[in-house]
Amino acid sequence: MLEKEDLLLTTILGKGKGCFLFLLHLSSLLIRCQKWSNSDAGDVLKQYNVPDWPFIATYLISEASLMKSSRWSNYISALPRQPYSLLYWTQSELDRYLEASQIRQRAVERINNVIGTYNDLRLRIFSKHPDLFPEEIFNIETFNWSFGILFSRLVRLPSMDGRVALVPWADMLNHNCEVETFLDYDKSSQGIVFTTDRAYLPGEQVFISYGRKSNGELLLSYGFVPKEGTNPSDSVEVSLALKKSDKCYKEKVEALKKHRLSASECFPVQVTGWPLELMAFAYLVVSPPSMSRQFEEMAAAASNKATSKKDIKYPEIEEDALQFILDSCESSISKYSKFLQASGEMDLDVTNPKQLNRRVFLKQLAVDLCTSERRILYRSQYILRRRLRDIRSGELRALNLFDGLKNLFK
Ligand SMILES: C[S@@+](CC[C@H](N)C(=O)[O-])C[C@H]1O[C@@H](n2cnc3c(N)ncnc32)[C@H](O)[C@@H]1O
């Protein structure tokens, strides 16, 4: 049976960075190539070539159902019964608290994906092998739980060709946005190691990186939002859309389709700025019919699959494109402000203490997320206004110069 002590802890405390904090042998991982306690069930899933995520989700349910007779039993009993990710928010909670954020849509898609994956496994495999996959054990509730565990704990191991695994006990480490180090396979020691990126003092909590994720992504998968201003990888998704009234709407949609984009797309904006793809999409939205020959080039640049990442520029429509982005940011800001203003009064009428606790908790997460996302948008609004002012004052100067020259030659 796998015990916490199987995790070989090395005494790094008080030492410098670059030390192995622990070593966990491959035989201890919940990974695709591992032997299942119920080996017949594992063999069936392998025959059907089930992809890694649903494979490991089913593996975890199978091991959990065996309780003490599974070698993972101690680890599994230490896992949360209800992981905190957005998978556990109801549709009405998502609509109520996250209406302003694009993360709501990502959560809805994720919930539907889990349901779709479960239904697919049930139809194709479980219903044909009810003795190995009884519905009392393999059902949507247990799949929601195991996917919740995977979203908040599954580790991608770069040195094992990106294979994914649950790494028992090592996954008890919490995330810190400023930490750069993560779990990986180490060939020489043939195990999973965690190498510190700085020295720790005795008794100090050791953190790990769950990856460079925005606050919204951390809430989506892990159910928490870092303190405002502490996440250098934070970003907010801004939604841009072609205008239905556009004379070239059809041609633009066609150009976007060629690059697997649709008439409405989301782009991540950071405090440091926005990606080239967003600017290219904005150029496409505001470009007049006379620029139809450039639609294709703009759509290609808007898809991050553009082969050459050159900074496309169309000075004649730059002002319109920036104004369009500013309008989109401001419309987003007003949605956040509406929610944040209303949030103070929300749920004051709930009397059931359990329900009230849940609502207060979810509302606080939503307020933290919306505050951090709005902060990024405020910064973009400032940068955009300043750029537009510079462009307009430059144009004014050019116009004054032109008038001056005209007067001179009169
Ligand atoms: C991989 S587990 C980490 C171990 C966790 N402390 C446990 O023992 O279950 C991920 C979960 O830990 C919590 N967590 C991790 N880092 C956090 C942080 N910086 N702030 C708040 N919660 C965090 C979240 O609930 C997240 O879903």
Side-chain angles (χ1 to χ4, degrees):
M1 180 151 323
L2 183 75
E3 301 284 358
K4 229 185 240 183
E5 291 66 40
D6 288 345
L7 197 72
L8 186 71
L9 280 172
T10 54
T11 46
I12 57 120
L13 298 180
K15 289 190 185 165
K17 65 178 189 178
C19 299
F20 282 180
L21 178 57
F22 51 69
L23 174 69
L24 189 74
H25 287 288
L26 287 186
S27 61
S28 306
L29 308 187
L30 274 114
I31 195 165
R32 191 182 184 96
C33 51
Q34 198 69 269
K35 204 165 162 36
W36 291 34
S37 302
N38 179 352
S39 57
D40 290 348
D43 291 344
V44 167
L45 280 209
K46 277 179 198 150
Q47 277 163 24
Y48 279 88
N49 276 330
V50 172
D52 283 352
W53 276 68
F55 187 96
I56 299 177
T58 316
Y59 186 8
L60 182 60
I61 296 171
S62 172
E63 295 298 326
S65 73
L66 296 172
M67 298 204 232
K68 284 280 168 210
S69 49
S70 163
R71 56 186 287 247
W72 316 104
S73 112
N74 283 344
Y75 168 64
I76 291 173
S77 58
L79 292 175
R81 289 299 100 205
Q82 212 200 56
Y84 288 115
S85 75
L86 291 186
L87 264 189
Y88 288 90
W89 291 35
T90 64
Q91 181 72 48
S92 71
E93 286 166 348
L94 291 169
D95 293 344
R96 190 174 174 80
Y97 301 123
L98 293 175
E99 201 196 342
S101 173
Q102 294 296 334
I103 280 299
R104 171 173 150 266
Q105 192 47 34
R106 297 263 303 271
V108 171
E109 282 161 17
R110 183 168 281 189
I111 291 167
N112 289 337
N113 269 340
V114 170
I115 297 172
T117 303
Y118 166 68
N119 283 336
D120 174 58
L121 290 175
R122 186 170 54 90
L123 281 174
R124 275 192 319 122
I125 307 172
F126 301 166
S127 60
K128 296 194 177 113
H129 304 274
D131 48 326
L132 294 175
F133 303 101
E135 203 173 337
E136 316 83 86
I137 294 174
F138 298 89
N139 52 52
I140 190 62
E141 279 78 34
T142 52
F143 266 84
N144 258 333
W145 169 75
S146 70
F147 268 103
I149 294 291
L150 300 198
F151 283 124
S152 57
R153 311 182 98 88
L154 203 69
V155 176
R156 191 168 291 280
L157 301 163
S159 301
M160 281 183 84
D161 302 326
R163 262 192 267 177
V164 285
L166 277 176
V167 186
W169 307 119
D171 62 2
M172 297 290 163
L173 288 167
N174 281 348
H175 169 82
N176 185 319
C177 301
E178 276 147 28
V179 169
E180 290 279 333
T181 184
F182 45 84
L183 297 172
D184 200 4
Y185 175 65
D186 179 58
K187 243 188 193 159
S188 58
S189 40
Q190 300 221 335
I192 303 301
V193 294
F194 166 79
T195 311
T196 54
D197 63 346
R198 67 176 175 85
Y200 283 90
L201 293 169
E204 202 183 342
Q205 183 175 357
V206 175
F207 288 99
I208 197 166
S209 169
Y210 294 172
R212 291 190 185 138
K213 294 188 161 65
S214 69
N215 287 2
E217 287 166 329
L218 288 170
L219 177 62
L220 178 65
S221 297
Y222 301 90
F224 73 93
V225 178
K227 267 201 200 112
E228 205 193 331
T230 59
N231 182 0
S233 309
D234 199 11
S235 63
V236 56
E237 297 271 314
V238 172
S239 168
L240 301 185
L242 290 180
K243 294 173 189 159
K244 287 257 165 67
S245 57
D246 191 328
K247 280 190 193 128
C248 300
Y249 185 80
K250 263 192 178 165
E251 292 88 328
K252 290 182 182 179
V253 170
E254 276 309 307
L256 287 168
K257 246 192 199 165
K258 275 191 195 161
H259 296 278
R260 295 170 184 267
L261 294 178
S262 55
S264 161
E265 288 290 335
C266 286
F267 298 92
V269 171
Q270 291 197 293
V271 272
T272 46
W274 47 86
L276 292 178
E277 290 83 359
L278 180 148
M279 194 64 206
F281 196 96
Y283 276 136
L284 182 66
V285 174
V286 302
S287 54
S290 58
M291 292 181 78
S292 62
R293 273 200 272 156
Q294 275 97 11
F295 289 173
E296 174 87 40
E297 179 184 53
M298 292 173 188
S303 77
N304 54 14
K305 288 170 198 74
T307 40
S308 60
K309 276 228 165 193
K310 64 177 177 35
D311 189 2
I312 57 162
K313 268 203 156 80
Y314 305 96
E316 65 275 39
I317 54 170
E318 182 158 10
E319 183 184 341
D320 289 348
L322 293 175
Q323 184 62 52
F324 172 70
I325 301 172
L326 178 61
D327 293 343
S328 305
C329 285
E330 288 183 339
S331 129
S332 230
I333 289 173
S334 71
K335 283 189 202 155
Y336 284 107
S337 300
K338 202 169 138 207
F339 166 72
L340 289 168
Q341 262 164 21
S343 65
E345 304 288 308
M346 260 181 190
D347 302 329
L348 295 180
D349 53 339
V350 180
T351 49
N352 175 331
K354 217 171 147 193
Q355 204 181 21
L356 182 67
N357 277 348
R358 177 172 171 88
R359 292 215 178 166
V360 169
F361 180 62
L362 300 193
K363 188 172 76 173
Q364 190 55 51
L365 285 170
V367 165
D368 292 347
L369 178 71
C370 291
T371 308
S372 71
E373 292 192 337
R374 187 178 62 169
R375 177 176 158 268
I376 299 174
L377 290 172
Y378 274 145
R379 175 74 193 152
S380 303
Q381 182 189 41
Y382 171 78
I383 298 172
L384 284 158
R385 282 185 178 164
R386 217 181 46 192
R387 282 229 207 145
L388 280 164
R389 199 188 54 213
D390 289 349
I391 290 177
R392 283 166 189 158
S393 65
E395 275 169 6
L396 202 66
R397 259 201 312 276
L399 207 66
N400 287 343
L401 192 70
F402 179 67
D403 280 349
L405 285 173
K406 235 171 42 181
N407 289 340
L408 196 73
F409 289 110
K410 253 188 194 166

